[in-house]
Each structure stands twice: as structure tokens, then as C-alpha cells.
Amino acid sequence: MARVRLLTLRDHDLLAWLAEHYLLSADQVAAALFPSKRSALLRLATLHRYEAVHRFGDLRTGTDQYLYALGPLGLDLHPRAYSDPLRPDAPTPRSSVERAQRIIGSTRLNHLLGTNQLFIDLHAYTHTDPGARLARWWSEQHATAAYALAGVRPDGHGIWHAAGRTVGFFLEHDNGTEPLRVVLAKLRAYERLAEFGPRYPVLIRVPHRRRENNILDALTGVPTAMPVATGLHHEHPAGPAWTLTTDPDPLTRRWLHELPSDHGPDTPTNPNRYHDPDDG
């Protein structure tokens, strides 16, 4: 384990992300953690040489870059890493190679990269705004386990702090492949969660304006216990990219930190309640 001593704090952050979120592209790693893509690629090549990461050519998404997952050293440091994006209860892989093969062969590969992109963009934004931070980034498996009592299965969960406000959110990353009724049916679990836990906005992020308009039309006049907001894949998630379903003007775009958010009661029924360190 002599190679562990050669890892930086930034390396450890990256390996922890790969343990929870399966994989990241070279561009995503560069945007979130490095001052330039060149410096990111140089360090990633070193981590590959240390066997801290595996890398694969990104053939399925057509972006001509490497995708990164935990290598043998990375998996030694994170033996409880999530191992299968399709089957959370799958047997523990025999090696980091088997884990990586499950990930790269998953039918959810594009969905994983799209989900992770929102959080990567938020991390990158914190480099430009010293008052902004992503205080929590949980994967689907993490959030599903934490809120199992309500049965929610978000694609991701985060706590975002900017402009003096702290906003929790659940992400539903939609690629437009599911019927609209299936997407809207997911809101029922968030309604149950709002009865005893947080009332965080549910962000439904879609690929194009037509899909967004259909969702807004379907939810017009429909009361929900938690806020619901829509946005587009290409809009920066920290900025004015979100329309609340309760906004009278569907062209209204709110910043993420402007969305209503409630951490819920400080009771045993809400064990994962977020406590802001700035509150003392």
C-alpha cells in the first residue's frame, strides 16, 4: 500500500466519488477538480499507473474521451463501493475489473453520466463563487437507502448553498425515454416523504422544451406537498434554469438557490435531516 502515500487529498476526493457514483468522464473530472484539462489528464494517467483507477474509451457516448472507474487500489480504499448500477443487491464483484465491467456494460451508462453532470457543474461553479458549495452529493443508491421509508428513488440528491441560502433537492434526470405518466408517478413517493421528512424541490431535468412544457401542462393546478421544478439538460443548474410548476408564467427561470426548500422536522422520523454547520 506504499502507493497510498502518493495520493493527494484531491485524489482521495475523486476516488470517493467513483466509489459512490460509479464513473466519471475525463471532462467531468477536469471541470470539477482541476484548473485545466491538461493537468487533469496528467494526474489521471498517474492514477491509472498507480492502479487507483481503471479507464475505458468512451465508445458508446461518442465523445472520444476516457471514462474512469475505481481500480484495484481504489477499491481497496473503498471496499464497500456501490458495485452495480442495475442491481443494487448484486453480489460483491470479485475484483475491480468485474465491477468496472458491470458499470461500463450497463444500459444506464448515459443516464449515469447525465445525472453526474449536474453535480459536476455545481462543483465547477464553486470555483467561480467562493460563497457557493455543494454540501451533499448522494447517489441514487445512497438516497434510496436513506429515505427507504418513503420509497423515493431519486437519480441523485444534493444540498446546495449559494447567496446565503441552503437548498436541498432531489434530481430526476429524464432522457425522454419514459412515458410521461411514469415520470409523474414518481412524485407520489416524494409526497409521502414530505409527510415526515424534508420537503425538498424535485428537479425534473429534461432534454428539450417540448418535454418540459408537457410536464408543466400536466402539473398545472395540481397541488404537491413539495416543490417541483423543471429544467433543461443544457442549462447550467446553478443559474436561472428552473421553473416551478406553481409559477404562473412558465417562462420564469429561477436560480437553484432561489427555490423553496425545507429540511423537515428535527425528529426521529427524519434521521437524515441536514444540519447546516454555519448554524452552530
Side-chain angles (χ1 to χ4, degrees):
M1 295 292 283
R3 290 169 297 177
V4 173
R5 294 195 293 271
L6 301 175
L7 300 179
T8 67
L9 290 177
R10 181 168 56 189
D11 295 337
H12 282 287
D13 285 342
L14 172 59
L15 296 179
W17 286 358
L18 294 178
E20 171 135 353
H21 305 291
Y22 294 113
L23 85 168
L24 294 168
S25 70
D27 284 347
Q28 289 174 333
V29 174
L33 293 174
F34 289 86
S36 69
K37 185 171 182 179
R38 182 177 182 276
S39 62
L41 291 176
L42 288 172
R43 189 58 186 172
L44 286 166
T46 299
L47 293 176
H48 183 250
R49 189 169 67 251
Y50 292 165
E51 297 187 315
V53 299
H54 287 301
R55 67 185 184 190
F56 303 86
D58 187 4
L59 301 177
R60 288 174 53 184
T61 59
T63 58
D64 192 28
Q65 61 176 313
Y66 281 124
L67 302 178
Y68 293 86
L70 286 181
L73 178 61
L75 194 56
D76 284 343
L77 293 173
H78 297 277
R80 297 186 178 181
Y82 296 121
S83 60
D84 194 318
L86 287 176
R87 299 180 299 152
D89 58 347
T92 302
R94 290 168 293 181
S95 67
S96 63
V97 172
E98 181 181 338
R99 177 183 184 269
Q101 287 174 338
R102 291 182 188 179
I103 296 167
I104 209 71
S106 171
T107 57
R108 302 191 68 205
L109 181 62
N110 287 342
H111 191 271
L112 280 171
L113 289 169
T115 295
N116 290 346
Q117 187 64 52
L118 176 138
F119 294 92
I120 291 296
D121 287 342
L122 292 178
H123 266 289
Y125 181 84
T126 65
H127 301 324
T128 67
D129 182 351
R133 70 178 185 274
L134 185 59
R136 181 186 285 177
W137 175 14
W138 286 359
S139 65
E140 175 183 341
Q141 284 78 8
H142 192 156
T144 298
Y147 298 109
L149 191 60
V152 299
R153 296 186 61 87
D155 294 318
H157 162 53
I159 302 285
W160 176 243
H161 182 88
R165 293 196 73 239
T166 301
V167 173
F169 63 89
F170 295 110
L171 174 64
E172 292 290 342
H173 180 80
D174 176 67
N175 283 330
T177 56
E178 294 181 318
L180 197 60
R181 57 179 174 75
V182 173
V183 176
L184 299 179
K186 297 177 182 179
L187 298 179
R188 297 171 189 158
Y190 295 106
E191 292 270 3
R192 290 194 295 272
L193 180 61
E195 294 175 3
F196 56 84
R199 295 187 177 191
Y200 291 149
V202 179
L203 308 182
I204 306 177
R205 206 174 194 214
V206 299
H208 49 74
R209 183 73 70 179
R210 184 176 69 255
R211 179 80 161 177
E212 181 181 29
N213 288 338
N214 289 340
I215 291 173
L216 290 172
D217 288 345
L219 291 175
T220 297
V222 178
T224 56
M226 68 291 165
V228 179
T230 60
L232 301 175
H233 290 181
H234 69 269
E235 295 177 324
H236 196 289
W242 305 103
T243 294
L244 286 167
T245 58
T246 54
D247 281 333
D249 182 357
L251 298 180
T252 300
R253 280 299 202 238
R254 299 173 184 263
W255 289 66
L256 181 56
H257 68 260
E258 295 176 331
L259 298 180
S261 176
D262 183 350
H263 297 308
D266 194 0
T267 64
T269 64
N270 191 19
N272 295 289
R273 188 182 191 277
Y274 178 74
H275 294 276
D276 196 320
D278 293 339
D279 292 340

